[in-house]
Structures are given as C-alpha cells and as structure tokens.
Amino acid sequence: MTLNPSCFQRLRARGQPSQPSLTVRRLLPGLLVAAVLALTGCAGQPVGGDGDAAAPGSGGATTRPLGTGDGSPLDDPSSPVYRKIVYFDYDTAAVPAEYAPLLRAHARYLAQTPGASVTLEGHADERGTRDYNLALAERRSEAVKSFLMAEGVPAAKLRTLSYGEERPADPGHHYQAWSQNRRVELVY
Amino acid sequence: MTADRRNRALRPQVSGPLPALLSGRLLLGLLALVLFSTGVQAKLTIEITGGIEGAQPIAVVPFGSLDGARPRVDVAEVVAADLARSGRFDPMSRREMLMTPHRQEDIDFREWQLLAMNTLLVGEIAAAAGGGYQVRYALFDVFTGRQLLSNSMPSSENGLRHAAHRIADAVYEQLTGEPGVFSTRIAYVTSSGSGSEARVALRVADADGYNPQTIVDSPEPIMSPAWSPDGRRLAYVSFENHQPAIYVQDLASGRRERVAAFEGMNSAPAFSPDGRQLAMSLSRDGNPDIYVMDLASGQLTRLTEHYAIDTEPAWAPDGRHLVFTSDRGGKPQIYRVGAAGGTAQRVTFDGEYNAAASYSPDGRSLVMVRRDAGRFFIVLTDAWGGSSRALSSGTLDESPGFAPNGSMIIYATQNNGRGVLAVVSISGGATQRLSQDFGDVREPAWSPLVR
C-alpha cells in the first residue's frame, strides 16, 4: 500500500504509541489508524507483486516472474486466457465468431492443465421474461460448452450454470448495459 | 429483520422482527443496522395512479368506540382505502360528513341522500370481556334505508387491519357481486445493491402493502414465487448453492423443503389447483422441458420433450391442462399441453414474442407478456390467444398475474429506472403502483382468496 505524504503526517499526529508492553494492544491503534486512513480516502492504490511485474515498464519492456507455479496465465493480462467473458447478440445463443480464438485458447489451457476445470456462467439482459431468460442464458452457457468440447475439452472439466437476468454486470436499463449483460463468464 | 442482517447466510424466517430482537441479539442487531442500513423494513407503498371515473359514492363513517375500547387502528379508514383502491368506489371525505352515526337508529337517510351517497357503512368497536374487541358493522342503501349487510366479528388488537379488510371484502361482494381481495396477500421479490453487496429477499405483504415480512433472504438470486392453492406455502427458486433449485416453504413455520435440485436448471414452479403437484421447467435431460412432480412421492412426469426451450408452465383452473412458453417455432410463443402430456398445441399467433402466460380464475382468459416493436407489455387474450387487449403501456413490463377474483392484473414494471409493481383493473380505469423506498421490487404473485 502506498500513502501520500499528507497522510503520513496525519498518521504521525494520531498514532501515539500506547501500551508498548503488549503486542496485541499495540496492534490495535495501528489497525485503527489504517481504518481511519481507509475511511478518509488516504489509502493509495494497492500495487501487487505479480500485477506490477507483468505491467509494461517505463521503457516498454515487460518482465515476468519465472515459474513459481503461482503465476497462472489466467491472471496474466498478456496471456490469451486472461479474458474470460464471451458477449452475445440480442435474443440469441450463437457464439460470435470473434470469440473463437479466445475460446480455443481456453480449450488448450483446460486440456493441458491437469486439474483445471471451469464453470460457464450464462447471463441474459433484462428484456423478456425472467424464466425464459434463465433458459436463454443456460443455452448460451451450453453453446460455449459445446464449443469447448468440440475443441477437445473433456465434459468432466466443464460445468454450466445459468443466472438468467438475475446478475447483471451493469444494472442500467439501456442498450450499453444490455450489451454488457448478455454474456457467458468462464469462472475457474 | 435487522437482527438477522449481520450474517450474510441465507435463512428462512418465521415471522416479524420481534423474536429476533428478543433473543439477546439486540446489540448485534443495532450494530448491523448501522453497518447494513439499507432500510430492511421498507414498506410497500401503494399509490393510486389511474382515475376513479364512474366509481360508486359510498360513505364509510368512522366507527364508534364502546366500553372503553381504544383500538390503535382506524378500521373505517382502512375499509375506505381498500374500497377506493379497487377503483369501483369513491368513498366520501370525512370532512364532508355532517353526522357520524354508528347504528341504524341514529341514521337520517335524507341527509345522506342530499350528499349524493348510494350506500352507507356504519359500525362500532367494543372492548371484549376477555381482551381484544368485538367489531360490528352494517351497510345500508341510502335511498330505501334498507339494511344490505350486517355482521359482528371478534378481533385481537393486531387483527384489526385484517378485520377491516374482511369488512371491505364483504361490502365489495355485496355491491359488485364478485368477491373482494382486500384480505389477500402479495408475495414479491426485492433486491438492493449489486455484486458482493447484493441482497435478494422474498417477501409477503398484505394486499394494501402493510405488514411486509421477509420469508427468505439471500445474497444469491431468488426467483419465481408461486402460491399453493391453500395460501399456506410458497414455492420459489433460490440460487443459494450456486445452482437454481426449487424450494417449497411453509409460511407459518418457516420450514421448507428443497424439492428439485437436479442437474442443470430447476425453475418456474407452479402448484396444481389441487395443491398436490408442482409443474416446473427442468433441464436435467439436456434442455428445458416441462415436468410435473407429485409432491407426496417426488415422482416426475415429463410433459414435453423438445430441443427448444419449454418453460413457465401455468395450470388451467380445472387442472386438466397447462400452458407454457416455448421457442420451438423460432421465437417464444404460448403452447398448451394436457396434464398427462401428449401433443402440444400452439395458443398464440398474434405478436412476435409471447411468454409467461397464466389463466384467469374462470379459465376464459390468459394474461401474458408480449413484445412488439421492442416494447414488452402485458396483454389479455381469450383462452386461445385471440382478442388481444394491451393492459399496460411500459417498455419492460413482466410477471403478470390475475388477482384471485379475476378483476385485476398485477405485474412488474419500471418507474424512473426502478423496479416497481403495478395493478390494473380488467374493466379499465383504476391503476395502482406499489413501490419500496429503496431497491427494486419485482415478480409479484397474488395469493389465493383463502388465508
């Protein structure tokens, strides 16, 4: 966590050490200060290790950690399986052709990664009746499942789950929101 | 139910907030109120949004009090508000009343004739010997002075609103010839927040929006409430285990049973008119089809077998067949199938999209959602989809259902970007809007007449 200088000054002014003999009690004021900072908006943007390393550096070069086992390509913005959402046209469950490369990358990942499995969560926009949309969103998740199976992923690694229109990504009532809500999310 | 809000787990709730507050969780409950101050006790507010032209004038005189009775509910006010909401009556303002008789011998009918009233309701509330009250009322024809109705009923303090609704039901039936629905209830789904802050609740309120109670509350979606014909149970779909499953919950005890959690989608429950079977849409055999479950044995009968989507089953009042939504013809339309299965017949041909149909109590009409030129609205048709009449003018209207006397339709709509409920009378004229002061309200289901 990074803090701006004015926050440090306020921290020093408030954080008078008390009860130094007890570790447990000494933690508490620190927590309170952290809570105050969070509430007053002084906490900076968190800068994580993996994400930091993968982000483009100032010279345009990108560095990556070497094979620790933790750095899953699913979390790597430069990996072809980083994107995990397929968007659909209105009132259809046909997978748009532009998502074929993305889904092939996920199929390769699933086939090559022992123990990897994915839930295909289908969603619909709010237009139309709720139960029909639940079925339509299920059909979308089944369409993605069929695509992945055709690419060689065993059915045992794929689960479908429909949320219908109950979990919009954007709660708005307009075209832009609807286009964000007609989707299948690949949840690993 | 503030005391239960501190914990995000889902639980069925038996009744009001009192048991939770008394159970030693008061302090945590107050803390939770601060942390999750999203107005959990939100009342369902009803506004009359459409005209009362042609409504009958009626005078509902404030009830008298006898024997030291001090009821906390203004019974006459509740009766008058019920009658006004129906759109069939125009109750006289109290300010215009020159006299407030409570008994027949005190009524000067000529005065009420001069005030252009058709009918007059008077009554009084007496303290009962063992606690509670005795509520007496009488209805008169102002022109002839004839007594049309009179009755007396015991009531507890907490039962006074219900007693008032029963009086309104009796008056309505006497003057219109059809049963009143003022003592019925409405189930509905509410939601607030989104993402990890989302809360969804299934609630039940009196038909006038009072006394809302949460019967189940979850961070995951809840859908499709459906009443049992005896009004004692609700079936619904809950996603609490990251799968849509069908539950049946007993309202009085809060106990519930998960009746369908098959592979895939378990959705759209509908009780048969005898209450013994539950129709539903399941995708356990590959894609959504209509099934009927015998609730005592759990045995399933498959009614449709088609690669298209078949969902939203609704029973005919005689229980001999069901209608459902299917897109087997390309777009969603209404079809009809026998209660034991067989060939499905297409019902709707007007409109490019028809879905979520249900029958009127007499079985002669259907109400459904239609899409036309990008708008979704409510239409009334005959039992075979003909003679369509639009009942709503919104763009995202859905979840229509008949009031149990067949006189009104309740449905979900949007108002200023928020989900609200609306009620429209079949005969035209009266409309109402039911909303909460926060969040969305949707998926209304009107209870049967019994309670």
Side-chain angles (χ1 to χ4, degrees), chain B residues 154-216:
Chain B
S155 171
S156 65
E157 180 75 52
N158 289 335
L160 280 172
R161 289 195 71 90
H162 184 52
H165 295 317
R166 286 172 58 200
I167 295 170
D169 281 342
V171 170
Y172 184 90
E173 182 158 13
Q174 175 67 37
L175 297 178
T176 69
E178 63 187 31
V181 292
F182 307 116
S183 57
T184 57
R185 291 185 284 182
I186 294 167
Y188 53 98
V189 175
T190 67
S191 70
S192 60
S194 62
S196 63
E197 293 301 307
R199 292 304 303 186
V200 184
L202 175 55
R203 316 187 93 199
V204 175
D206 293 349
D208 64 351
Y210 275 78
N211 194 26
Q213 298 182 57
T214 298
I215 69 150
V216 61

Side-chain angles (χ1 to χ4, degrees), chain A residues 129 132 138-139 167 173, chain B residues 220 242 283 312 327 417 442:
Chain A
T129 62
Y132 182 76
E138 183 188 59
R139 192 186 264 172
R167 280 265 179 99
H173 307 291
Chain B
E220 302 291 335
H242 301 286
S283 62
E312 301 172 335
D327 63 359
R442 58 179 182 246

Side-chain angles (χ1 to χ4, degrees), chain B residues 367-387:
Chain B
V367 68
M368 65 190 72
V369 176
R370 175 165 296 173
R371 183 181 72 200
D372 192 19
R375 258 185 66 218
F376 291 85
F377 55 99
I378 311 301
V379 294
L380 181 74
T381 73
D382 64 33
W384 283 101
S387 313

Side-chain angles (χ1 to χ4, degrees), chain B residues 167-347:
Chain B
I167 295 170
D169 281 342
V171 170
Y172 184 90
E173 182 158 13
Q174 175 67 37
L175 297 178
T176 69
E178 63 187 31
V181 292
F182 307 116
S183 57
T184 57
R185 291 185 284 182
I186 294 167
Y188 53 98
V189 175
T190 67
S191 70
S192 60
S194 62
S196 63
E197 293 301 307
R199 292 304 303 186
V200 184
L202 175 55
R203 316 187 93 199
V204 175
D206 293 349
D208 64 351
Y210 275 78
N211 194 26
Q213 298 182 57
T214 298
I215 69 150
V216 61
D217 171 308
S218 174
E220 302 291 335
I222 297 172
M223 289 178 72
S224 310
W227 290 91
S228 65
D230 63 5
R232 293 181 181 176
R233 291 170 294 164
L234 273 173
Y236 57 87
V237 172
S238 170
F239 287 64
E240 58 207 72
N241 292 316
H242 301 286
Q243 184 208 13
I246 299 172
Y247 294 77
V248 173
Q249 183 165 329
D250 179 75
L251 295 178
S253 68
R255 279 197 296 272
R256 64 177 189 163
E257 191 184 348
R258 194 174 70 174
V259 299
F262 300 104
E263 177 84 21
M265 217 179 71
N266 300 270
S267 66
F271 280 95
S272 62
D274 67 6
R276 293 183 186 156
Q277 296 177 298
L278 199 64
M280 58 188 72
S281 173
L282 305 175
S283 62
R284 51 172 273 169
D285 296 314
N287 77 302
D289 280 308
I290 307 298
Y291 295 75
V292 169
M293 177 183 280
D294 179 80
L295 284 168
S297 68
Q299 196 189 328
L300 283 176
T301 305
R302 188 174 183 174
L303 299 193
T304 69
E305 190 167 348
H306 197 285
Y307 56 82
I309 291 170
D310 291 345
T311 187
E312 301 172 335
W315 295 82
D318 64 7
R320 282 151 75 175
H321 64 265
L322 300 92
V323 287
F324 63 98
T325 305
S326 176
D327 63 359
R328 58 186 63 191
K331 291 292 173 201
Q333 294 291 347
I334 306 304
Y335 292 76
R336 157 175 178 161
V337 67
T343 309
Q345 294 169 275
R346 184 165 165 177
V347 171

Side-chain angles (χ1 to χ4, degrees), chain B residues 352-404:
Chain B
E352 57 182 18
Y353 179 120
N354 290 291
S358 58
Y359 279 97
S360 60
D362 65 7
R364 291 184 191 158
S365 311
L366 290 168
V367 68
M368 65 190 72
V369 176
R370 175 165 296 173
R371 183 181 72 200
D372 192 19
R375 258 185 66 218
F376 291 85
F377 55 99
I378 311 301
V379 294
L380 181 74
T381 73
D382 64 33
W384 283 101
S387 313
S388 301
R389 180 152 66 89
L391 290 180
S392 79
S393 56
T395 57
L396 289 169
D397 299 343
E398 61 179 348
S399 308
F402 278 88

